[in-house]
Amino acid sequence: MTIVRTALTQTTWTGDEESMVAKHEDFVRRAAAEGAQVICFQELFHGPYFGIVQDSKYYEYAQAVPGPLTERFSKLAAEHNMVIILPVYEEEQPGVYYNTAAVIDADGTYLGKYRKNHLPHVEKFWEKFYFRPGNLGWPVFDTAVGKVGVTICYDRHFPEGWRVLGLNGAQLVFNPNASKPGLSNRLWELEQPTAAAANGYFVVVPNRVGEETNEFGEEAVDFYGTSYIADPQGNYVGEVGARDGEELMIRDLDMELVRTARNNWQFYRDRRPEAYDPITAP
């Protein structure tokens, strides 16, 4: 498949889980109407971004993966022949929770999941209160649109994960986010295009947008949207998403660029893994 029509979304919290899920089902239908073959939602798409506070009531959003949400979106995937990247709050068992993304193939098959490896624990991002660090490594999934990998938000600050995904064969990497203004602004512009160019694959970057004041009042942060896709040469594919407001973005990705970029630069040939021991030292 040379051209992969890819959809990504950005939106804010509606105020309740069912309407949030329904909104994203509508995103799938709208993307399908425009011919999209794969779609990815923002981090923890079915709820608020509760890392702003530390409150055990938000454990109630966690559910099994695979489970009710994956089953619901598996039916949509099969109906619309679309690969779906589904960022979900996962409960492995009571008290054991992960920040997870399920990968569903275009025929509705649940292919597996990625669990966020790197967890921040700073003001307004209290993720270690809610999640255990991921323990599934950096899987790559063979889908109808090619070999797909996933990182989640804070993972993007760690180049090692990006590289392992490339070594595992990824051609298309999804990085769902909940990012707000602050220290990350410049890194938001730099890191994902750099990862795409350094590893020779596409990086798809959905982000939350707007203030979730309906959940957190004055504590709410203003997620900055500006979702985008970077190609294997580090260039944006089309325009960057809006700073404010909901958006469904559709972009055509020429997958031949993966081979072109890798042949031009040969980073994988010229790697020196025998010289990298300090990276894995404790």
Side-chain angles (χ1 to χ4, degrees):
M1 183 177 297
T2 301
I3 303 297
V4 172
R5 181 158 287 187
T6 300
L8 61 161
T9 66
Q10 59 178 47
T11 190
T12 193
W13 171 232
T14 58
D16 69 275
E17 187 172 26
E18 177 53 35
S19 65
M20 195 69 165
V21 172
K23 173 178 281 195
H24 285 79
E25 289 175 320
D26 185 58
F27 279 138
V28 172
R29 297 184 184 100
R30 288 167 54 194
E34 295 191 45
Q37 297 154 285
V38 58
I39 191 168
C40 182
F41 306 141
Q42 63 204 28
E43 184 179 13
L44 301 168
F45 86 96
H46 56 105
Y49 178 73
F50 39 74
I52 289 170
V53 297
Q54 297 182 81
D55 190 331
S56 60
K57 73 180 183 182
Y58 292 108
Y59 296 154
E60 297 302 314
Y61 282 92
Q63 59 179 268
V65 177
L69 271 182
T70 54
E71 291 170 8
R72 191 163 166 174
F73 281 86
S74 288
K75 292 177 183 177
L76 268 182
E79 179 182 350
H80 296 291
N81 194 34
M82 189 184 301
V83 176
I84 299 177
I85 313 301
L86 200 68
V88 177
Y89 189 14
E90 180 192 3
E91 177 180 286
E92 184 177 62
Q93 58 177 284
V96 180
Y97 307 122
Y98 296 95
N99 190 335
T100 296
V103 178
I104 301 167
D105 211 356
D107 64 357
T109 301
Y110 165 76
L111 295 179
K113 59 194 171 189
Y114 167 73
R115 288 171 171 165
K116 187 174 182 178
N117 277 297
H118 303 98
L119 301 179
H121 201 65
V122 296
E123 186 177 1
K124 305 289 188 179
F125 291 94
W126 305 116
E127 294 201 6
K128 290 178 181 176
F129 183 84
Y130 296 101
F131 315 116
R132 291 188 66 192
N135 55 7
L136 300 178
W138 304 95
V140 170
F141 304 92
D142 197 358
T143 77
V145 296
K147 294 186 180 298
V148 164
V150 183
T151 68
I152 299 176
C153 200
Y154 191 65
D155 283 327
R156 72 178 189 265
H157 302 308
F158 301 86
E160 297 86 353
W162 295 113
R163 178 64 87 200
V164 175
L165 285 170
L167 292 172
N168 287 344
Q171 302 163 312
L172 186 56
V173 175
F174 294 88
N175 179 230
N177 281 264
S179 289
K180 69 173 183 66
L183 291 175
S184 74
N185 287 52
R186 183 62 174 141
L187 296 181
W188 179 257
E189 299 169 348
L190 292 174
E191 284 175 328
Q192 292 93 279
T194 299
N199 295 287
Y201 49 52
F202 287 92
V203 176
V204 181
V205 190
N207 190 23
R208 284 178 178 261
V209 69
E211 293 181 288
E212 300 182 349
T213 52
N214 52 352
E215 186 74 27
F216 301 108
E218 292 182 358
E219 290 191 86
V221 301
D222 185 15
F223 297 108
Y224 50 58
T226 59
S227 304
Y228 65 83
I229 298 177
D231 74 16
Q233 297 169 323
N235 301 307
Y236 291 137
V237 180
E239 298 295 320
V240 171
R243 168 62 181 84
D244 301 293
E246 178 177 296
E247 193 164 359
L248 169 67
M249 299 167 60
I250 309 286
R251 300 288 184 268
D252 286 336
L253 311 186
D254 182 356
M255 300 306 292
E256 285 298 316
L257 282 177
V258 173
R259 181 177 297 274
T260 298
R262 292 186 183 190
N263 284 347
N264 284 345
W265 281 108
Q266 289 295 344
F267 293 145
Y268 289 91
R269 180 195 66 195
D270 296 336
R271 291 177 64 248
R272 293 288 310 282
E274 72 278 6
Y276 303 153
D277 287 349
I279 290 176
T280 58

